[in-house]
Amino acid sequence: MIQRIFSLLIVLFCALTLHAQKSKQFTPGEIWPDNKGKHINAHGGGILFYKGVYYWYGEHKIAGKIGNSAQVGVSCYSSKDLYNWKDESIALKVDEDPNSDITKGCTLERPKVIYNAKTQKFVMWFHLELKGKGYYAARSGVAVSDKPTGPFTFLKSFRPNAGYWPVNVQPYHKKPVSPDVKDSYCGGKGCLPAPVDSVNLLGRDFKGGQMARDMNLFVDEDGTAYHIYSSEENSTLHISKLTDDYLSYSGEYFRVFVGRYMEGATLFKRAGKYYIIASDCTGWAPNAARSAVADEIFGEWKELGNPAVGNESETTFRSQSTFVLQIQGKKDSYIFMGDRWTPDNPIDGRYIWLPIKFENDAPKLYWQDKWSL
Ligand code: DGJ
């Protein structure tokens, strides 16, 4: 008996020691335990660096297919070294009120947070689909908080740039929209005629606002913030300048990669140039990533091809881009963050973090089982 208790104690001690041990490396695709030993639950996420701490926000998933809808809200984790993360709980909770835009059961994807130094507010944007309405709402949601860990207060959800034409609008967009143009298409590739501009989706959505699905935020060196999102039935990316308080659209925006069906777009800057890493549009199934570079944020953008190299590069190592993190205080150091989605049991989704190498100024991703900064 005493021997059994003794062995149990040893097992317990080993488990606790292992758990307390600090990680010093990334292991892409593996279970990533937080400070409580639970797999990090922050999918489609992004990272904010504020006062020496990294904050990771993402979709909180639950087990089973129901977990693809928002049952809990947006998770937040904090870390000083990027390997070890503390669960900071739920930064934005879904609402029990059935009349709320973010009622439990809505679809709330790809949350991102930026800090506004003028208002001293943390501002969260996310892709919102209203409960029970599939992917047709295609709205942007905005929430704010005084603290990085929240609680965030939901402010509004809306379609971008209602009543505004993009800077690079074409004369044919302003012509009356043909009655054949449907209110909504099935979404994704294959259900829209080609070329996509033969269907004037921009004109269709001019009054009510443009569609906004997969999204990211980017703050430039001068403090100007931009929202980048898949619009026009996912066929075309829009890059929109936000207002100074980061809470709304300024009305100034550009259409980029027209008809290229890019999702999971991430925007970052290196040595004065702007870069995008994005995916193709194939639902939850992974595909070959794309990359692009520009001298100005609104373009002209030049595509650089799939940044992933080697085995499984055609599926970006079975992942889809969600964010590119620039490491503070480390020259030329960027991390590609991707999701390995598991839509049958979304809580089990894994994270693919890989260092970005630049070869002839083009981003490249090489698989690594383990790596550190
Ligand atoms: C692909 C997108 O990138 C995800 O964020 C999610 O919207 C899925 N499609 C849904 O099928």
Side-chain angles (χ1 to χ4, degrees):
M1 183 64 179
I2 292 186
Q3 218 173 9
R4 257 191 95 195
I5 294 175
F6 189 63
S7 338
L8 269 174
L9 282 175
I10 289 184
V11 171
L12 191 69
F13 175 77
C14 291
L16 284 174
T17 323
L18 269 180
H19 178 47
Q21 257 172 24
K22 292 241 167 196
S23 174
K24 289 194 178 112
Q25 60 187 11
F26 300 107
T27 50
E30 298 299 320
I31 290 282
W32 193 341
D34 65 9
N35 61 316
K36 294 173 182 159
K38 273 190 168 177
H39 182 46
I40 291 174
N41 194 340
H43 310 264
I47 291 190
L48 165 78
F49 181 76
Y50 178 72
K51 292 196 175 168
V53 180
Y54 293 95
Y55 295 91
W56 178 355
Y57 304 88
E59 302 161 29
H60 183 103
K61 305 281 198 187
I62 66 164
K65 281 192 174 163
I66 192 178
N68 293 311
S69 61
Q71 300 295 317
V72 179
V74 176
S75 318
C76 176
Y77 293 81
S78 65
S79 173
K80 283 194 174 160
D81 62 9
L82 291 168
Y83 308 114
N84 300 280
W85 292 89
K86 177 180 174 221
D87 182 4
E88 297 283 2
S89 192
I90 303 301
L92 173 70
K93 284 191 180 142
V94 291
D95 205 325
E96 293 295 332
D97 177 356
N99 296 316
S100 162
D101 287 357
I102 59 161
T103 191
K104 187 173 173 181
C106 67
T107 299
L108 196 166
E109 294 183 339
R110 300 183 177 271
K112 306 287 179 300
V113 174
I114 50 181
Y115 176 66
N116 189 299
K118 284 187 198 140
T119 61
Q120 300 189 349
K121 298 274 185 208
F122 296 85
V123 183
M124 179 189 290
W125 284 66
F126 51 88
H127 163 206
L128 179 73
E129 298 293 347
L130 301 174
K131 184 178 180 180
K133 301 266 188 310
Y135 273 83
Y136 294 125
R139 292 192 191 188
S140 299
V142 183
V144 281
S145 172
D146 294 327
K147 289 190 295 169
T149 49
F152 280 77
T153 306
F154 173 65
L155 293 184
K156 57 186 171 183
S157 84
F158 58 134
R159 284 263 186 110
N161 296 310
Y164 288 89
W165 292 112
V167 178
N168 54 349
V169 65
Q170 301 298 313
Y172 56 80
H173 288 126
K174 294 189 176 176
K175 291 196 175 150
V177 178
S178 152
D180 299 341
V181 177
K182 297 185 200 159
D183 281 350
S184 61
Y185 290 79
C186 59
K189 257 172 151 175
C191 61
L192 284 167
V196 74
D197 254 2
S198 63
V199 192
N200 185 3
L201 300 170
L202 191 80
R204 180 195 70 181
D205 293 335
F206 176 73
K207 259 196 194 155
Q210 301 297 326
M211 299 180 108
R213 291 202 182 110
D214 278 14
M215 56 139 278
N216 239 304
L217 297 174
F218 169 75
V219 182
D220 212 338
E221 283 147 306
D222 65 359
T224 309
Y226 298 86
H227 188 216
I228 178 168
Y229 47 91
S230 308
S231 192
E232 302 179 41
E233 307 281 355
N234 290 352
S235 68
T236 298
L237 286 179
H238 288 189
I239 301 177
S240 279
K241 188 171 158 184
L242 299 183
T243 48
D244 284 353
D245 58 9
Y246 300 170
L247 298 179
S248 296
Y249 295 98
S250 68
E252 188 181 346
Y253 70 111
F254 255 77
R255 304 170 79 221
V256 293
F257 308 107
V258 175
R260 287 288 286 139
Y261 292 90
M262 295 213 187
E263 288 196 317
T266 65
L267 183 48
F268 60 101
K269 201 171 183 182
R270 174 190 176 254
K273 286 190 189 295
Y274 298 87
Y275 287 88
I276 283 176
I277 294 182
S279 73
D280 196 351
C281 180
T282 54
W284 297 113
N287 53 56
R290 289 112 181 251
S291 61
V293 65
D295 290 331
E296 306 286 338
I297 193 158
F298 285 151
E300 186 148 330
W301 286 90
K302 182 183 154 218
E303 285 205 44
L304 298 171
N306 183 358
V309 183
N311 234 352
E312 295 197 290
S313 57
E314 69 288 354
T315 59
T316 320
F317 315 112
R318 285 180 279 143
S319 77
Q320 186 187 24
S321 44
T322 184
F323 197 73
V324 168
L325 174 66
Q326 182 174 6
I327 305 301
Q328 300 296 316
K330 220 169 176 273
K331 202 176 167 271
D332 221 14
S333 187
Y334 296 80
I335 297 179
F336 164 87
M337 292 168 53
D339 290 286
R340 198 173 269 179
W341 301 110
T342 51
D344 288 335
N345 189 29
I347 194 171
D348 194 34
R350 306 295 171 86
Y351 310 104
I352 305 300
W353 286 27
L354 291 170
I356 302 181
K357 294 206 159 69
F358 287 88
E359 294 173 6
N360 297 323
D361 286 338
K364 298 287 171 201
L365 302 171
Y366 293 88
W367 178 258
Q368 308 209 30
D369 289 334
K370 293 174 183 166
W371 67 281
S372 48
L373 289 165

